[in-house]
Amino acid sequence: MNPGEATPRRLRALPSRLTNQAALAANRIVDKALAQVGVRRYHYSLLAALDETGPTSQAELGRRTGIDRSDMVATVNDLADRGLVQRTPDPEDRRRNIVSVTAAGRRQLAQLDELLGAAQDAYLAPLSATDRRTLIGLLTRVTDYHRDKQD
């Protein structure tokens, strides 16, 4: 018997459970890919946000990425120690830091983009290109809907 068939029918029909099971598989694949170069998802999220928006405060980075304040400090510290980001005092408010990505951080981000692209392909291997676009569209709609409900 295939493991999916051993799962009770009621559970196999719950979209929330299926989404969670799919997320667990995705997280395992992504974590394994990022571990090849010694980084975690928070590292990628922070570098991607900085590359897209430019230098910004740690608080704003937390809002953009969903990274908790205490995790943000540890992530910025780790990336700064690796020379991938730099932290400078905010000229408008010396109590805040402005974080920016370095040239080494951009090179690391490009490498991570490649690793994550391969991880996405591995995760979505059973789906055609059309099915992948459909899945991404549906997940985006569900995510956006529930994010908007929280505001």
Side-chain angles (χ1 to χ4, degrees), residues 60-81:
E60 180 60 26
L61 283 170
R63 285 188 287 277
R64 289 182 176 273
T65 61
I67 299 173
D68 182 76
R69 179 181 298 172
S70 62
D71 292 327
M72 177 60 69
V73 170
T75 303
V76 170
N77 287 345
D78 191 23
L79 291 173
D81 290 347

Side-chain angles (χ1 to χ4, degrees), residues 100-118:
S100 57
V101 66
T102 63
R106 283 193 180 82
R107 287 190 300 275
Q108 176 77 71
L109 182 59
Q111 180 184 21
L112 296 177
D113 283 336
E114 288 181 27
L115 288 172
L116 286 176

Side-chain angles (χ1 to χ4, degrees), residues 120-138:
Q120 301 309 298
D121 287 341
Y123 172 61
L124 298 175
L127 302 179
S128 69
T130 299
D131 287 345
R132 290 176 186 204
R133 285 189 298 277
T134 299
L135 176 64
I136 291 166
L138 292 170

